[in-house]
């Protein structure tokens, strides 16, 4: 009696609304709304579902809108549009692992590149579109043949399995001892897959401290307008400006205030700084995941001129100390230059 009631309730829900597809769309939109901010338990769980389950589930639902013979319900027929539950689960994970990298590969050819802000909306749009197609195809089928997550039916079958204890029964759904072992093994395999999936998502989604970093560099502008890491000036003139481009990439998983200190340094034969002159310092605020490239006009003073001087850009997270150095800086970038005095001669 319980199985029949649960089946009727589940069938009624499936006729009115594909609840599983609504849940897929809701989870996809929720993941998109949360975005790619700092990792949290909720983002890890949603990220695991978004990468390993949702795209594949929606696609499988669109390809196979009918229930399988294993549903033990009237109206189920063997045909092109249904597959067994085990195959549906494998295809869900497999197709998700196909669709997600494919979205990344496609974005690698776009100007924006592979970024959370571009790949995430693409995956969400694919999932929503596939779910819409799945809902349309499913509702075109007779109600008795539509696939759906009939949780009540499954719970009723599980209860029957627990009660029979392998004894003979007139109930065609009664499970013998061998089948009980197979079912338990399948449940264990599915549970292990879920645990492994969440664990992998947690390992990928929560970077270690070593994976959090700030990119920093100096660039120049090529004749065609591109910023490149070459063709740096070899000679500067005191009191005359030369334009370089500073690049900062915030991968610290949080917003950061950066301070850049520009120094001209003279080194001895052992590589120690014996004389320095601070030319400039400026600050830049970047959100988590934000990159910045901007011009900087460096102007040597007449206080330090000569050959083989090191023009050094020091990067600090937060404020810079009164006496900055490469040892205390978070990152450093430099080029070697000759600096001519006011008379145009390096002294």
């Amino acid at each position: 009696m319980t199985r029949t009631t649960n089946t009727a309730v589940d069938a009624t829900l499936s006729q009115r609304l594909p609840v599983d597809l609504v849940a897929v769309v809701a989870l996809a939109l929720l993941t998109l709304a949360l975005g790619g901010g700092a990792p949290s338990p909720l983002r890890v769980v949603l990220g695991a579902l978004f990468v390993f389950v949702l795209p594949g589930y929606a696609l499988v639902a669109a390809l196979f809108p009918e229930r399988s013979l294993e549903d033990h319900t009237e109206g189920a027929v063997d045909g092109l549009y249904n597959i067994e539950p085990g195959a549906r689960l494998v295809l869900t994970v497999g197709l998700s692992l196909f669709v997600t990298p494919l979205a990344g590969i496609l974005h690698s050819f776009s100007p924006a590149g592979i970024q959370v802000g571009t790949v995430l909306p693409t995956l969400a749009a694919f999932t929503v579109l596939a779910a819409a197609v799945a809902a349309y195809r499913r509702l075109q089928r007779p109600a008795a043949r539509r696939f759906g997550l009939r949780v009540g039916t499954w719970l009723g079958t599980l209860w029957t399995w627990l009660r029979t204890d392998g004894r003979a029964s007139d109930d065609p759904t009664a499970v013998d001892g061998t089948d009980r072992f197979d079912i338990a093994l399948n449940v264990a395999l599915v549970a292990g897959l879920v645990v492994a999936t969440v664990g992998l998502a947690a390992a990928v989604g929560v970077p270690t401290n070593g994976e959090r970093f700030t990119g920093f560099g100096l660039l120049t502008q090529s004749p065609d307008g591109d910023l490149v890491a070459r063709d740096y000036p070899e000679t500067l003139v005191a009191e005359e400006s030369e334009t370089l481009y500073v690049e900062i990439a915030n991968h610290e998983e949080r917003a950061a205030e950066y301070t850049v200190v520009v120094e001209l340094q003279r080194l001895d034969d052992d590589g120690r700084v014996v004389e320095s002159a601070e030319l400039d310092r400026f600050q830049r605020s970047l959100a988590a995941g934000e990159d910045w490239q901007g011009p900087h006009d460096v102007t040597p003073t007449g206080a330090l001129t000569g050959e083989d001087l090191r023009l050094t850009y020091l990067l600090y997270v937060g404020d810079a100390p009164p006496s900055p150095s490469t040892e205390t800086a978070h990152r450093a970038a430099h080029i070697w230059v000759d600096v001519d005095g006011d008379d145009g001669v390096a002294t």
Side-chain angles (χ1 to χ4, degrees):
M1 181 66 69
T2 302
R3 273 187 80 249
T4 303
T5 302
N6 288 336
T7 302
V9 172
D10 290 339
T12 302
L13 289 176
S14 297
Q15 292 174 21
R16 292 186 310 200
L17 190 67
V19 179
D20 56 326
L21 298 178
V22 173
V24 165
V25 171
L27 289 173
L29 295 180
L30 178 59
T31 306
L32 181 62
L34 292 177
S40 67
L42 177 60
R43 283 195 174 96
V44 169
V45 173
L46 288 177
L49 292 173
F50 194 76
V51 172
F52 296 104
V53 177
L54 299 186
Y57 185 92
L59 183 56
V60 171
L63 295 174
F64 305 101
E66 297 184 5
R67 68 177 61 177
S68 71
L69 295 177
E70 290 190 3
D71 280 338
H72 299 296
T73 52
E74 296 181 1
V77 295
D78 191 12
L80 178 63
Y81 303 111
N82 59 54
I83 53 175
E84 297 178 356
R88 189 177 290 270
L89 174 61
V90 171
L91 282 176
T92 292
V93 178
L95 289 178
S96 293
L97 294 178
F98 171 77
V99 171
T100 301
L102 181 61
I105 292 173
L106 294 177
H107 276 285
S108 67
F109 296 101
S110 69
I114 303 177
Q115 299 182 24
V116 173
T118 56
V119 176
L120 200 64
T122 300
L123 279 178
F126 174 86
T127 302
V128 172
L129 178 61
V133 173
Y136 173 79
R137 297 196 68 201
R138 187 182 298 178
L139 293 175
Q140 299 306 304
R141 267 63 185 174
R145 292 171 55 182
R146 296 173 191 166
F147 172 79
L149 293 181
R150 290 168 172 79
V151 179
T153 301
W154 296 349
L155 292 177
T157 302
L158 178 61
W159 174 245
T160 301
W161 172 62
L162 293 174
R163 287 189 307 162
T164 57
D165 194 24
R167 295 189 300 270
S169 173
D170 295 333
D171 187 350
T173 64
V175 185
D176 61 24
T178 302
D179 289 338
R180 287 167 63 88
F181 175 77
D182 291 339
I183 293 175
L185 180 60
N186 289 334
V187 171
L189 290 175
V190 172
L193 178 62
V194 172
V195 172
T197 298
V198 174
L200 178 61
V204 174
V206 182
T208 62
N209 291 335
E211 293 173 327
R212 298 180 182 178
F213 67 95
T214 296
F216 184 59
L218 294 178
L219 306 171
T220 62
Q221 190 172 47
S222 65
D224 57 5
D226 295 331
L227 297 182
V228 296
R230 63 175 186 270
D231 301 329
Y232 297 103
E234 297 180 354
T235 302
L236 303 178
V237 177
E239 308 303 336
E240 293 186 9
S241 297
E242 181 76 28
T243 301
L244 295 174
Y245 288 82
V246 179
E247 180 180 44
I248 306 175
N250 179 8
H251 300 289
E252 301 288 346
E253 301 295 337
R254 58 180 177 83
E257 178 86 11
Y258 293 101
T259 301
V260 179
V261 179
V262 185
E263 282 194 345
L264 197 59
Q265 302 169 339
R266 191 191 308 277
L267 280 64
D268 61 15
D269 294 338
D270 295 326
R272 293 174 298 189
V273 177
V274 295
E275 189 178 1
S276 65
E278 183 174 318
L279 305 181
D280 192 15
R281 65 172 61 195
F282 59 91
Q283 291 185 321
R284 187 77 187 185
S285 297
L286 297 180
E290 183 180 0
D291 297 349
W292 173 78
Q293 294 174 335
H296 176 255
D297 294 330
V298 56
T299 306
T301 65
L304 185 57
T305 59
E307 297 179 346
D308 297 327
L309 299 179
R310 188 171 71 180
L311 178 62
T312 303
Y313 282 68
L314 304 172
L315 179 70
Y316 290 87
V317 180
D319 295 329
S323 300
S325 66
T326 54
E327 288 76 18
T328 61
H330 185 66
R331 291 286 186 271
H334 68 268
I335 60 174
W336 295 94
V337 295
D338 297 337
V339 178
D340 296 341
D342 295 338
D343 55 2
V345 179
T347 57

